[in-house]
Amino acid sequence: MHTVWKGSISFGLVNIPIKLHSATENKDIKLRQLHKECHTPISYKKVCEGCEKEVKEEDIVKAYEYAKNKFVVLDDEELEALKKENEDKAVEIIDFVKLEEIDPIYFERSYFLSPDTTGGKAYSLLRKTLEQSGKIGVAKIIIRSKEQLAVVRVYKDTLVMETIHFPDEVRSTADVPNIPSEETVVQKELDTALLLVDQLTTAFTPEKYTDEYRTALMELIEEKKAGNNTVSVSDKQPLPDNVTDLMSALQASLDKTGKKKKPATRKKKVAKTS
């Protein structure tokens, strides 16, 4: 399992060297975009709208837009210094709370924690402590240059760290439009709804839920492959039949480039005839 972060986590005076591994994976089927005419994959280039030209990676800087079209440029060295300042710190469990006190809206991404070579005993101690107390640990961690709030809990004999949103990252429900005000609910309708909930209530079994759309899409793809209903792109695209059109396009490109580099030509004065 790939290690995405390596460091240590501590609670009190107990320090545990750990490795972080992604606990979940996105299984969405990624579809490419092709040119309808020749089935060549579409590529995306970084273009400067002001200069109307493609920009190389080394010519790009990071900036914060504090007002419309007004930016504060940040150097890579400045960002790296901030990253280094926080990155060397061990992850410290700040508080212990009950899991049910945290609304699911705060949860973001899950990571498995594994002990490094010398951290097995301390890892077991934290795991047993969380199990016996029925609590989870609240901590902070720097991942990919971003400070994250996180919780540490036990999942099937493994410690799991789940990043959670900071309070100011969760939008206010007051901003949600068209929420109905408190209204009187007809008791008969409520009783019927509660009966329906009761009939559909069961133990949560994750394995019974599947992505039906992804399954159907893969079946369609395999069906098309089996029927040879596929397209391919050759390394070299054939030249257009109409060479004149190609030359016209090249000439137009040259003319456009020339206009940008050369100053506007002055109009010739017409000699006056006596």
Side-chain angles (χ1 to χ4, degrees):
M1 191 176 282
H2 178 65
T3 300
V4 298
W5 188 89
K6 187 177 179 180
S8 63
I9 185 169
S10 63
F11 67 108
L13 298 178
V14 179
N15 189 72
I16 313 165
I18 56 160
K19 295 177 181 178
L20 217 62
H21 315 274
S22 293
T24 59
E25 58 181 322
N26 189 339
K27 289 199 171 183
D28 286 350
I29 299 172
K30 296 180 179 178
L31 302 178
R32 292 290 304 275
Q33 291 186 324
L34 307 181
H35 183 197
K36 186 176 181 180
E37 184 177 322
C38 64
H39 297 123
T40 300
I42 302 298
S43 61
Y44 296 91
K45 298 180 180 180
K46 295 179 180 179
V47 177
C48 172
E49 295 180 358
C51 303
E52 294 185 358
K53 66 179 183 180
E54 187 177 354
V55 182
K56 295 179 181 178
E57 195 67 36
E58 58 266 27
D59 295 325
I60 298 176
V61 296
K62 295 182 176 68
Y64 174 76
E65 187 173 12
Y66 64 91
K68 183 67 174 177
N69 293 327
K70 295 190 176 185
F71 304 90
V72 173
V73 177
L74 300 167
D75 296 335
D76 288 340
E77 293 78 12
E78 294 172 323
L79 295 173
E80 191 65 27
L82 288 176
K83 178 182 173 184
K84 285 286 185 184
E85 185 179 329
N86 294 280
E87 200 172 40
D88 296 335
K89 296 179 181 178
V91 181
E92 181 182 3
I93 294 180
I94 307 165
D95 297 307
F96 288 94
V97 301
K98 292 182 179 179
L99 177 60
E100 54 268 27
E101 292 177 344
I102 304 177
D103 191 277
I105 198 170
Y106 283 93
F107 288 89
E108 189 176 12
R109 187 165 185 180
S110 303
Y111 297 91
F112 289 134
L113 298 179
S114 68
D116 215 338
T117 48
T118 59
K121 187 174 181 180
Y123 184 97
S124 298
L125 174 62
L126 178 57
R127 180 179 59 189
K128 181 61 73 175
T129 302
L130 294 176
E131 286 176 338
Q132 292 287 326
S133 66
K135 304 287 178 60
I136 63 173
V138 179
K140 281 186 178 182
I141 182 174
I142 300 288
I143 302 178
R144 298 186 183 93
S145 304
K146 183 180 185 298
E147 186 175 57
Q148 297 270 8
L149 193 60
V151 297
V152 180
R153 65 186 183 89
V154 180
Y155 173 76
K156 295 184 177 180
D157 273 349
T158 302
L159 290 179
V160 173
M161 174 178 284
E162 296 185 87
T163 54
I164 63 176
H165 293 288
F166 285 99
D168 60 353
E169 293 179 317
V170 179
R171 293 176 176 173
S172 172
T173 56
D175 298 330
V176 182
N178 303 322
I179 299 297
S181 57
E182 190 73 27
E183 295 181 3
T184 304
V185 176
V186 178
Q187 188 61 43
K188 186 176 180 180
E189 294 175 342
L190 179 59
D191 291 341
T192 304
L194 290 171
L195 180 61
L196 177 61
V197 169
D198 187 57
Q199 291 175 347
L200 294 176
T201 298
T202 183
F204 179 60
T205 309
E207 294 76 18
K208 79 180 234 184
Y209 305 104
T210 57
D211 188 337
E212 296 178 8
Y213 172 76
R214 174 158 54 92
T215 301
L217 180 55
M218 280 308 303
E219 288 175 353
L220 175 61
I221 291 171
E222 292 300 327
E223 183 182 323
K224 283 181 171 286
K225 281 172 59 181
N228 262 343
N229 191 0
T230 61
V231 296
S232 58
V233 182
S234 59
D235 292 336
K236 293 183 179 179
Q237 294 297 319
L239 290 173
D241 293 332
N242 192 339
V243 179
T244 305
D245 289 345
L246 177 59
M247 290 303 299
S248 299
L250 290 171
Q251 187 60 51
S253 299
L254 286 172
D255 293 343
K256 185 176 180 181
T257 306
K259 287 177 182 178
K260 291 179 182 177
K261 292 184 177 179
K262 297 178 182 178
T265 55
R266 296 177 180 176
K267 293 183 179 180
K268 293 181 179 180
K269 293 183 179 179
V270 181
K272 295 182 179 179
T273 56
S274 55

